[in-house]
Amino acid sequence: GAVVLCGWLLHMPVLTHVDLMASMKANAAGAFLASATALWCLYTCAPESRWFLVARVLAVAIVLVGFLSFAEDLFGFELGIDQLIVADLPQAVHTTHLGRMSPATSFSLIFLGFALLAFRARRSYLAALTHWLVVPPLLVSVLAMVGYAFGVSAFYEVTTDTSMAVPHALAILALRLFLMLRAQAHWFA
């Protein structure tokens, strides 16, 4: 996330996308950076600390960004959040709206945010949800990676103009696996 944000801010396309594939959008990169920060805070800080609260606020922000982007795609309206951090290039490929992450990415961010909220929750039944909340986005990211590996665009494109970027799929996969490994106390309870 941090590398991609630097690529957008410094106008270095080599850091935002691979070849002629879809680029990782700045708002998605910011959400992934917030996810990693929240996960780190939740894993390393005591529940009573201020950083634990910061992690929860970041998780709510991640859900909100994912939900708003998904709602824009689902209902066809513009909220203007797609290019809030940085403007997308007019010649961007594999996107219907400049700066907007794919619906698969926004769907995954919603689940990631909720999984972060459930991770290390005080109530054990909420903490047990962490593993179940990472399964749908894990499947989405694995399908996207398989699609890119074998050239099956139906696995990473929702429509012919909107596709999940490779860095999105990798970031989702890494965050999901880390969450699954760190929430061992309630393994698929």
Side-chain angles (χ1 to χ4, degrees), residues 157-181:
E157 286 183 348
V158 176
T159 67
T160 56
D161 295 329
T162 306
S163 61
M164 179 181 255
V166 173
H168 288 186
L170 289 173
I172 291 166
L173 185 63
L175 286 166
R176 294 319 189 260
L177 290 176
F178 190 81
L179 261 173
M180 286 180 77
L181 293 174

Side-chain angles (χ1 to χ4, degrees), residues 131 182-187 189:
H131 285 90
R182 291 297 160 205
Q184 294 176 356
H186 301 288
W187 196 253

Side-chain angles (χ1 to χ4, degrees), residues 20 22 25-26 31 39 44 53 75 86 92 97-99 107 112 132 146 157 164 178:
L20 294 175
K25 305 304 180 190
L39 185 56
T44 61
L53 178 62
F75 301 116
V86 66
H97 300 281
L98 294 179
F107 170 82
L112 175 61
W132 295 106
V146 168
E157 286 183 348
M164 179 181 255
F178 190 81

Side-chain angles (χ1 to χ4, degrees), residues 29-104:
F32 287 126
L33 184 59
S35 299
T37 303
L39 185 56
W40 180 76
C41 289
L42 289 169
Y43 183 66
T44 61
C45 299
E48 304 82 29
S49 75
R50 177 176 32 153
W51 291 106
F52 206 81
L53 178 62
V54 167
R56 296 291 191 210
V57 170
L58 287 172
V60 169
I62 293 161
V63 169
L64 190 61
V65 167
F67 178 75
L68 291 175
S69 290
F70 195 72
E72 282 182 319
D73 280 320
L74 193 61
F75 301 116
F77 57 83
E78 283 289 328
L79 293 173
I81 63 168
D82 301 327
Q83 298 193 67
L84 194 61
I85 298 174
V86 66
D88 201 353
L89 302 172
Q91 67 271 21
V93 295
H94 299 290
T95 186
T96 53
H97 300 281
L98 294 179
R100 186 172 302 167
M101 65 184 88
S102 75

Side-chain angles (χ1 to χ4, degrees), residues 9-31:
L9 294 172
L10 299 174
H11 305 288
M12 298 176 69
V14 71
L15 298 178
T16 62
H17 68 280
V18 180
D19 294 328
L20 294 175
M21 295 180 190
S23 62
M24 184 176 210
K25 305 304 180 190
N27 54 358

Side-chain angles (χ1 to χ4, degrees), residues 63 106-116 132-134 136-137 176:
V63 169
S106 56
F107 170 82
S108 295
L109 284 175
I110 294 167
F111 276 87
L112 175 61
F114 281 127
L116 288 169
W132 295 106
L133 289 168
V134 298
R176 294 319 189 260

